[in-house]
Amino acid sequence: TGQAWLHEIKFESYRTMAYIEGNSERMLHSTGLDWTPKFQALADRLETLGVKSAIIDGEVVATNAEGRSSFTSLKNALSAGKSADLQYYVFDLLHLDGEDLRKLPLTERKARLATLLKGKDFDGRINFSERFFEADRGFLNRICDMEMEGLICKRADEIVHSGTIDVP
C-alpha cells in the first residue's frame, strides 16, 4: 500500500512485447518466439500509432461469454487461427522513436504510453492497462468480485535495470 506502489489487473493472457520499426510490427511471446502471425490483427493495428520505432510491453487477451479474460478462450482462438477478436492490454513503453525510456520511473513510462494511445481508434483491440494507486481491502474485493486472475503490484518509481535493448 501507499504512493510508492501502483497496481494493475492481471489478465489470463499471453505476455507479449510489440516491436515496431518503421513499417514492421512484430509481436514476441515472453519466451522470445515470434507470434506475429498468431497476433497479426493486433500487429496491424499497431501500425496506426504513427511512430518510427517503439517497444511496448503488454498482454494478449481473449474474453469469454461473460466478457472476462479467459485463457481457455485465448487458446481456442489461437488454435482456430482467429486473432481478429483478441485484445492487447499494454502496460509499459520501453522505447520510443530512438529514446530508451527504461531509465525513467514506471509512472513516467506509463504516462507516455497513455499519451501515445490517446485519441487513437483501435476498435477496442489495443487498450491501456490502467493503473491504480489504492489497493485497500475494498479494491481487492472488487477485483475478486470481477473474477479477475489477480493483481500485479509494482514500484511506481521502478526503472528497468537490464543493459541493452536487444531487438530479436
Side-chain angles (χ1 to χ4, degrees):
T1 61
Q3 291 300 307
W5 296 90
L6 62 82
H7 315 280
E8 299 169 346
I9 293 173
K10 171 69 177 113
F11 297 96
E12 295 187 44
S13 62
Y14 280 125
R15 176 92 177 261
T16 306
M17 300 280 282
Y19 291 84
I20 302 167
E21 186 67 40
N23 294 328
S24 173
E25 300 82 29
R26 291 183 299 143
M27 309 283 292
L28 277 69
H29 182 271
S30 59
T31 61
L33 295 174
D34 186 346
W35 278 20
T36 307
K38 293 178 185 291
F39 303 144
Q40 191 63 57
L42 295 171
D44 291 345
R45 290 181 191 282
L46 290 171
E47 186 176 319
T48 64
L49 281 174
V51 299
K52 295 175 190 162
S53 63
I55 300 176
I56 301 171
D57 200 356
E59 300 181 83
V60 174
V61 174
T63 55
N64 61 19
E66 292 80 35
R68 293 184 188 94
S69 68
S70 164
F71 198 70
T72 300
S73 296
L74 181 56
K75 289 192 314 184
N76 290 343
L78 293 176
S79 294
K82 297 180 179 179
S83 69
D85 292 334
L86 298 178
Q87 299 173 33
Y88 188 39
Y89 280 85
V90 296
F91 53 78
D92 204 350
L93 180 62
L94 302 172
H95 178 271
L96 181 62
D97 291 336
E99 183 182 2
D100 183 352
L101 305 178
R102 295 172 302 155
K103 64 189 176 295
L104 299 175
L106 177 60
T107 51
E108 176 64 23
R109 295 192 315 268
K110 288 183 82 63
R112 288 199 186 189
L113 179 58
T115 299
L116 180 63
L117 299 174
K118 187 176 182 174
K120 306 275 189 320
D121 181 14
F122 297 110
D123 220 13
R125 300 297 168 215
I126 310 287
N127 303 289
F128 180 71
S129 184
E130 289 294 337
R131 71 271 192 209
F132 306 91
F133 287 98
E134 295 297 324
D136 61 13
R137 188 163 303 283
F139 177 75
L140 296 174
N141 287 340
R142 285 192 304 277
I143 296 297
C144 289
D145 290 344
M146 293 168 38
E147 298 180 23
M148 301 304 290
E149 183 176 20
L151 194 62
I152 299 173
C153 304
K154 299 178 179 179
R155 294 281 311 186
D157 62 352
E158 172 193 28
I159 60 171
V160 181
H161 292 285
S162 58
T164 60
I165 293 178
D166 294 322
V167 180

